[in-house]
Amino acid sequence: MVGRDPGTDLAVLRVPPDAATLTPIAAGDSSALVIGQPVVAAGSPLGLNSTITAGVVSALNRYVDVGQGGRPSALVNAVQTDAAINPGNSGGPLVDCDGRQVGVNSAGAQVPGGGGGSIGLNFAIPMDFARSVADQIIRTGKVTHPSIGVLAVTVTDEMAQATGLPRGALVDQVLPAMGAARAGLREGDVLTGIGGTAVGSVDEMLVAVRGHGPGQPVEVAYVRDGQSQTASVPVTAI
């Protein structure tokens, strides 16, 4: 193993050329995916090798919490599909109709209480992002992810009605020495936009930040004491 990223559960393996006969899959462009586009998920669910399931792209840019126990983990900008992804499909390719890999199968939602198979809510890591993670591992042996340095909670409709706050990500803590602290953001600010993208929740904030590389400044729109303001916030690698 060259290295792995626990945050995304992606890894890079080095295989000696003479150790196996491998046929590389063509890499597709996940940024060109559209909702309704047919896709196929391949893998070995429950140990049944060479299984494929078909479906469509149901949604794009999903934020999905896939942490287990005390280990935090999340899919950001995930591809949602109704092609079944069951245990054993994880890590397999999600491909388009031309056989190009557009995602890495990762997780499937379950009915509360557990049990049962796929319920049509399944998620894959976009290929463009998976390749960027792999490239970092190959170059440096590790992966960094962008952050603006805040911990926040979502302002729900109920919270907004009770407090008068706008929908967005309410800053609960500003991490010292990171971008938000250097830009002057404070606890109690409500983030409503990142880089021109509207933010209505913490999930949307994380998705928007992930679209910017460490070291890049990003314009953050926020509300403080009822007044709309903006700040240029440097993105930090974590």
Side-chain angles (χ1 to χ4, degrees):
M1 181 184 292
V2 177
R4 65 181 293 263
D5 175 29
T8 58
D9 203 24
L10 290 172
V12 174
L13 303 179
R14 180 185 290 113
V15 179
D18 57 352
T21 301
L22 302 175
T23 302
I25 191 171
D29 179 7
S30 58
S31 67
L33 289 172
V34 296
I35 295 173
Q37 178 177 340
V39 287
V40 171
S44 301
L46 305 177
L48 300 172
N49 294 333
S50 303
T51 297
I52 63 170
T53 54
V56 299
V57 174
S58 307
L60 298 167
N61 301 321
R62 290 298 200 203
Y63 176 90
V64 185
D65 183 357
V66 293
Q68 296 182 355
R71 187 187 68 176
S73 184
L75 304 181
V76 178
N77 290 335
V79 179
Q80 179 181 326
T81 177
D82 62 351
I85 296 177
N86 293 302
N89 280 110
S90 180
L94 184 74
V95 303
D96 62 17
C97 289
D98 292 319
R100 298 171 299 193
Q101 184 171 1
V102 292
V104 179
N105 302 331
S106 182
Q110 296 290 321
V111 175
S118 172
I119 61 172
L121 293 173
N122 306 291
F123 304 95
I125 300 169
M127 190 60 180
D128 295 352
F129 178 68
R131 292 184 71 177
S132 73
V133 170
D135 288 344
Q136 287 189 64
I137 292 174
I138 292 169
R139 289 196 315 268
T140 68
K142 61 181 182 180
V143 178
T144 59
H145 296 291
S147 172
I148 59 173
V150 299
L151 302 179
V153 297
T154 297
V155 179
T156 62
D157 289 335
E158 293 79 7
M159 188 186 300
Q161 292 173 4
T163 63
L165 293 172
R167 283 298 305 267
L170 174 64
V171 177
D172 183 59
Q173 183 179 349
V174 178
L175 303 180
M178 295 187 69
R182 297 202 297 269
L185 293 182
R186 306 175 190 168
E187 295 178 13
D189 291 343
V190 179
L191 310 187
T192 58
I194 304 285
T197 299
V199 167
S201 66
V202 172
D203 293 356
E204 292 177 358
M205 177 193 76
L206 295 171
V207 170
V209 171
R210 187 59 66 89
H212 301 270
Q216 296 179 353
V218 60
E219 184 176 87
V220 175
Y222 62 99
V223 174
R224 175 184 295 168
D225 298 327
Q227 301 296 315
S228 297
Q229 303 184 46
T230 60
S232 180
V233 178
V235 178
T236 307
I238 59 172

mmCIF file of all heavy atoms in Angstrom, residues 9 32 37 59 76 87 104-105 134 140 158 160 166 169 179 192 210 233:
data_model
loop_
_atom_site.group_PDB
_atom_site.id
_atom_site.type_symbol
_atom_site.label_atom_id
_atom_site.label_comp_id
_atom_site.label_asym_id
_atom_site.label_seq_id
_atom_site.Cartn_x
_atom_site.Cartn_y
_atom_site.Cartn_z
ATOM 1 N N ASP A 9 -11.724 6.973 2.866
ATOM 2 C CA ASP A 9 -11.577 5.529 2.747
ATOM 3 C C ASP A 9 -11.073 5.133 1.365
ATOM 4 O O ASP A 9 -11.419 4.066 0.839
ATOM 5 C CB ASP A 9 -12.889 4.806 3.064
ATOM 6 C CG ASP A 9 -12.655 3.352 3.499
ATOM 7 O OD1 ASP A 9 -11.556 3.056 3.977
ATOM 8 O OD2 ASP A 9 -13.567 2.531 3.333
ATOM 9 N N ALA A 32 -19.007 16.057 -15.696
ATOM 10 C CA ALA A 32 -19.951 16.129 -16.814
ATOM 11 C C ALA A 32 -21.222 15.330 -16.550
ATOM 12 O O ALA A 32 -22.122 15.306 -17.392
ATOM 13 C CB ALA A 32 -19.282 15.627 -18.097
ATOM 14 N N GLN A 37 -28.838 10.556 -15.903
ATOM 15 C CA GLN A 37 -27.920 9.819 -16.775
ATOM 16 C C GLN A 37 -27.786 8.368 -16.305
ATOM 17 O O GLN A 37 -27.601 8.111 -15.114
ATOM 18 C CB GLN A 37 -26.547 10.502 -16.760
ATOM 19 C CG GLN A 37 -25.478 9.798 -17.584
ATOM 20 C CD GLN A 37 -24.167 10.575 -17.587
ATOM 21 O OE1 GLN A 37 -24.144 11.773 -17.304
ATOM 22 N NE2 GLN A 37 -23.076 9.911 -17.907
ATOM 23 N N ALA A 59 -28.878 12.396 -8.046
ATOM 24 C CA ALA A 59 -28.546 13.737 -7.562
ATOM 25 C C ALA A 59 -27.032 13.868 -7.565
ATOM 26 O O ALA A 59 -26.293 12.873 -7.647
ATOM 27 C CB ALA A 59 -29.109 13.982 -6.165
ATOM 28 N N VAL A 76 -18.189 13.994 0.398
ATOM 29 C CA VAL A 76 -18.503 15.362 0.005
ATOM 30 C C VAL A 76 -18.573 15.419 -1.517
ATOM 31 O O VAL A 76 -17.731 14.852 -2.210
ATOM 32 C CB VAL A 76 -17.450 16.348 0.539
ATOM 33 C CG1 VAL A 76 -17.756 17.770 0.091
ATOM 34 C CG2 VAL A 76 -17.393 16.293 2.061
ATOM 35 N N PRO A 87 -23.162 -4.222 0.564
ATOM 36 C CA PRO A 87 -21.859 -4.610 1.096
ATOM 37 C C PRO A 87 -21.100 -5.492 0.114
ATOM 38 O O PRO A 87 -21.612 -6.501 -0.362
ATOM 39 C CB PRO A 87 -22.223 -5.371 2.377
ATOM 40 C CG PRO A 87 -23.514 -4.756 2.815
ATOM 41 C CD PRO A 87 -24.256 -4.456 1.543
ATOM 42 N N VAL A 104 -16.451 6.045 -7.554
ATOM 43 C CA VAL A 104 -16.039 4.890 -6.763
ATOM 44 C C VAL A 104 -17.177 4.578 -5.800
ATOM 45 O O VAL A 104 -17.523 5.402 -4.943
ATOM 46 C CB VAL A 104 -14.748 5.170 -5.974
ATOM 47 C CG1 VAL A 104 -14.357 3.949 -5.146
ATOM 48 C CG2 VAL A 104 -13.610 5.570 -6.903
ATOM 49 N N ASN A 105 -17.793 3.412 -5.961
ATOM 50 C CA ASN A 105 -18.908 3.033 -5.089
ATOM 51 C C ASN A 105 -18.480 3.114 -3.629
ATOM 52 O O ASN A 105 -17.397 2.657 -3.269
ATOM 53 C CB ASN A 105 -19.369 1.608 -5.400
ATOM 54 C CG ASN A 105 -19.802 1.432 -6.831
ATOM 55 O OD1 ASN A 105 -20.271 2.370 -7.469
ATOM 56 N ND2 ASN A 105 -19.657 0.220 -7.346
ATOM 57 N N ALA A 134 -5.923 10.274 -5.044
ATOM 58 C CA ALA A 134 -4.885 9.319 -5.438
ATOM 59 C C ALA A 134 -3.603 10.039 -5.834
ATOM 60 O O ALA A 134 -2.496 9.603 -5.471
ATOM 61 C CB ALA A 134 -5.389 8.444 -6.586
ATOM 62 N N THR A 140 2.843 12.465 -2.202
ATOM 63 C CA THR A 140 3.295 12.792 -0.848
ATOM 64 C C THR A 140 3.062 11.684 0.177
ATOM 65 O O THR A 140 3.567 11.771 1.294
ATOM 66 C CB THR A 140 2.597 14.066 -0.343
ATOM 67 O OG1 THR A 140 1.195 13.797 -0.143
ATOM 68 C CG2 THR A 140 2.752 15.203 -1.342
ATOM 69 N N GLU A 158 -36.978 25.958 11.941
ATOM 70 C CA GLU A 158 -37.493 26.198 13.289
ATOM 71 C C GLU A 158 -36.604 27.168 14.056
ATOM 72 O O GLU A 158 -37.091 28.070 14.747
ATOM 73 C CB GLU A 158 -37.610 24.873 14.047
ATOM 74 C CG GLU A 158 -38.657 23.909 13.493
ATOM 75 C CD GLU A 158 -38.178 23.156 12.258
ATOM 76 O OE1 GLU A 158 -36.975 23.288 11.899
ATOM 77 O OE2 GLU A 158 -39.006 22.442 11.645
ATOM 78 N N ALA A 160 -34.592 29.388 12.749
ATOM 79 C CA ALA A 160 -34.690 30.702 12.122
ATOM 80 C C ALA A 160 -35.941 31.438 12.604
ATOM 81 O O ALA A 160 -35.902 32.649 12.897
ATOM 82 C CB ALA A 160 -34.706 30.554 10.601
ATOM 83 N N PRO A 166 -30.939 34.107 9.776
ATOM 84 C CA PRO A 166 -31.180 33.599 8.419
ATOM 85 C C PRO A 166 -30.774 32.132 8.330
ATOM 86 O O PRO A 166 -30.012 31.625 9.162
ATOM 87 C CB PRO A 166 -30.262 34.466 7.558
ATOM 88 C CG PRO A 166 -29.127 34.806 8.469
ATOM 89 C CD PRO A 166 -29.741 34.966 9.841
ATOM 90 N N ALA A 169 -25.153 28.468 7.989
ATOM 91 C CA ALA A 169 -24.305 27.730 8.922
ATOM 92 C C ALA A 169 -23.881 28.680 10.039
ATOM 93 O O ALA A 169 -23.119 29.621 9.811
ATOM 94 C CB ALA A 169 -23.085 27.167 8.204
ATOM 95 N N GLY A 179 -8.060 30.118 8.457
ATOM 96 C CA GLY A 179 -8.526 31.172 7.579
ATOM 97 C C GLY A 179 -9.600 32.072 8.162
ATOM 98 O O GLY A 179 -9.527 33.297 8.074
ATOM 99 N N THR A 192 -23.729 32.422 4.872
ATOM 100 C CA THR A 192 -24.824 32.257 3.911
ATOM 101 C C THR A 192 -24.340 32.024 2.484
ATOM 102 O O THR A 192 -25.146 31.752 1.594
ATOM 103 C CB THR A 192 -25.740 33.490 3.936
ATOM 104 O OG1 THR A 192 -24.958 34.658 3.637
ATOM 105 C CG2 THR A 192 -26.400 33.655 5.300
ATOM 106 N N ARG A 210 -15.094 22.547 -0.168
ATOM 107 C CA ARG A 210 -14.330 21.486 -0.823
ATOM 108 C C ARG A 210 -14.012 21.827 -2.277
ATOM 109 O O ARG A 210 -13.062 21.283 -2.851
ATOM 110 C CB ARG A 210 -15.088 20.160 -0.736
ATOM 111 C CG ARG A 210 -14.346 18.936 -1.234
ATOM 112 C CD ARG A 210 -13.061 18.670 -0.499
ATOM 113 N NE ARG A 210 -13.267 18.326 0.889
ATOM 114 C CZ ARG A 210 -13.451 17.090 1.332
ATOM 115 N NH1 ARG A 210 -13.485 16.066 0.493
ATOM 116 N NH2 ARG A 210 -13.600 16.861 2.626
ATOM 117 N N VAL A 233 -11.596 34.868 2.792
ATOM 118 C CA VAL A 233 -11.088 33.908 3.775
ATOM 119 C C VAL A 233 -10.125 32.943 3.098
ATOM 120 O O VAL A 233 -10.496 32.266 2.133
ATOM 121 C CB VAL A 233 -12.243 33.110 4.420
ATOM 122 C CG1 VAL A 233 -11.704 32.082 5.398
ATOM 123 C CG2 VAL A 233 -13.215 34.055 5.107
#
